[in-house]
């Protein structure tokens, strides 16, 4: 395989191998990414490591970080994953020094993909958590929902059979990946059903919604 293929194949497992060195199974990892492939690699890296992913949006300058602060305070993540070169810049942008405490930061873009060779298969069961999903927090403080592998598989199977989704279909999604709709319907369902997935930026959709249908 060429370098590009090795990068694609080893990305999530390299992240998992680094997490296995930095955390222990069952720890929680805060995912602070814009929608895109780095988020997906980090999510799968958490599952490969037996670490519980906690998706959230990556705060931007001028955007309130209160939701992230509330999630950090409630979930007590052991580590935060991001794709920025210097995670300290993101840490300052969040500004939740008290809640962040001793949480470590990991820039997944800086992980050596060859580390994937050190990955070890985690011990997982159906009741192992595959996701700690937080509500939007638009009307109250975000609340976490524990979602196990069994929960996800049951949901994906029902959707696949109920709507007759198969590998001949194509999914085109603009929904933010930290949102349950964007993650479950926009990423996990296509993988479960074996159908191609096309992702577009939520910002591009907001600027011109017709582009999604086109």
């Amino acid at each position: 395989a060429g370098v590009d293929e090795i990068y694609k194949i080893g990305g999530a497992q390299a992240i998992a191998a680094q997490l296995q060195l930095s955390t222990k199974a069952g720890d929680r990892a805060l995912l602070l990414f814009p929608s895109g492939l780095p988020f997906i690699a980090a999510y799968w890296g958490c599952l490969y490591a037996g670490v519980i992913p906690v998706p959230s949006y990556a705060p931007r300058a001028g955007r309130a970080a209160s939701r992230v602060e509330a999630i950090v305070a409630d979930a007590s993540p052991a580590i935060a994953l991001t794709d920025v070169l210097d995670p300290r810049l993101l840490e300052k942008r969040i500004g939740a020094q008290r809640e962040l405490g001793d949480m470590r930061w990991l820039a997944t873009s800086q992980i050596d993909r060859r580390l994937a060779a050190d990955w070890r298969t985690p011990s997982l069961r159906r009741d192992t958590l595959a996701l700690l999903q937080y509500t939007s927090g638009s009307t109250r403080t975000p609340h976490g929902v524990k979602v196990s592998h069994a929960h996800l598989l049951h949901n994906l199977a029902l959707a696949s059979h109920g709507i007759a989704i198969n590998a001949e279909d194509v999914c085109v999604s603009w929904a933010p990946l930290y949102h349950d709709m964007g993650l479950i319907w926009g990423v996990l369902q296509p993988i479960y059903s074996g159908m191609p997935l096309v992702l577009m930026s939520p910002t591009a959709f907001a600027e011109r919604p017709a582009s999604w249908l086109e």
Side-chain angles (χ1 to χ4, degrees), residues 9-18 20 41 44-45 48 113 115-120:
I9 295 171
Q13 289 184 342
I15 293 171
Q18 182 61 62
Q20 289 175 332
W44 237 260
Y48 282 160
R113 264 45 184 180
L115 193 61
D118 298 330
W119 170 69
R120 305 181 308 279

Side-chain angles (χ1 to χ4, degrees), residues 10-211:
Q13 289 184 342
I15 293 171
Q18 182 61 62
L19 285 173
Q20 289 175 332
L21 292 173
S22 307
T23 63
K24 63 182 184 299
D27 278 349
R28 297 168 180 178
L30 185 67
L31 306 186
L32 294 171
F33 294 86
S35 291
L37 295 179
F39 174 97
I40 297 174
Y43 177 80
W44 237 260
C46 288
L47 297 191
Y48 282 160
V51 171
I52 304 170
V54 184
S56 181
Y57 65 78
R60 299 190 301 268
R63 181 174 180 177
S66 57
R67 181 177 185 273
V68 180
E69 294 178 11
I71 291 174
V72 171
D74 185 67
S76 300
I79 194 167
L81 275 58
T82 179
D83 64 342
V84 297
L85 295 180
D86 187 352
R88 291 174 297 179
L89 298 177
L90 189 57
E91 182 178 1
K92 291 179 181 179
R93 187 176 299 170
I94 293 176
Q97 298 298 328
R98 179 176 60 82
E99 288 82 359
L100 289 177
D102 297 325
M103 186 172 62
R104 288 160 291 175
W105 292 78
L106 177 62
T108 57
S109 57
Q110 300 302 294
I111 296 175
D112 187 341
R113 264 45 184 180
R114 292 173 295 183
L115 193 61
D118 298 330
W119 170 69
R120 305 181 308 279
T121 304
S123 176
L124 301 177
R125 302 190 309 269
R126 289 179 59 83
D127 61 352
T128 299
L129 293 189
L131 176 64
L132 183 55
Q133 181 69 40
Y134 276 83
T135 57
S136 64
S138 57
T139 58
R140 60 178 183 176
T141 303
H143 283 64
V145 178
K146 296 179 179 180
V147 183
S148 69
H149 285 272
H151 290 146
L152 278 180
L153 289 170
H154 183 70
N155 184 284
L156 296 173
L158 285 179
S160 180
H161 294 297
I163 311 178
I165 300 172
N166 58 55
E168 297 180 357
D169 295 314
V170 177
C171 175
V172 184
S173 175
W174 60 265
L177 299 184
Y178 66 83
H179 190 278
D180 52 358
M181 185 73 174
L183 176 58
I184 296 174
W185 268 101
V187 176
L188 303 184
Q189 190 70 57
I191 291 175
Y192 179 87
S193 302
M195 62 178 168
L197 164 64
V198 179
L199 289 175
M200 63 181 294
S201 164
T203 302
F205 170 81
E207 292 176 347
R208 188 171 174 272
S211 62

